[in-house]
Amino acid sequence: FNDGYVVLEIVSGPESSLGYPSQLSDEGTIISESKIDARLPAGGRKKIPFEIALPKDILPGNYTLNAYYLTKRAPIKLM
């Protein structure tokens, strides 16, 4: 996976729209998205520490944090 990355999203919406995997749904609103380099050699492992700052104007409500791994050439579905 020499071109892989992790996508982190904070999604808001009704609880029924925040199911996993959210990347397969068109419901909910993405309020923050970050991409983190996650290239791996064959058989490799990598710890990916991350930090996400919440928007200062965030309102009370239902939110979820989604993380998924993608590559540019061959998307990987995590189930």
Side-chain angles (χ1 to χ4, degrees):
F1 303 114
N2 64 357
D3 60 355
Y5 56 96
V6 173
V7 177
L8 302 169
E9 296 175 341
I10 298 175
V11 182
S12 70
E15 193 169 337
S16 61
S17 71
L18 300 178
Y20 183 83
S22 64
Q23 69 267 34
L24 301 180
S25 173
D26 58 0
E27 296 186 43
T29 302
I30 297 170
I31 63 169
S32 175
E33 182 176 83
S34 301
K35 290 183 180 180
I36 300 172
D37 176 33
R39 290 175 281 182
L40 291 171
R45 297 179 80 144
K46 183 177 190 177
K47 287 186 180 184
I48 303 173
F50 67 90
E51 187 175 296
I52 296 178
L54 297 175
K56 294 181 190 240
D57 59 349
I58 196 167
L59 299 173
N62 294 316
Y63 296 91
T64 186
L65 171 65
N66 300 308
Y68 50 95
Y69 187 83
L70 292 176
T71 65
K72 292 177 185 174
R73 286 185 259 167
I76 297 171
K77 289 185 179 181
L78 301 177
M79 303 265 174

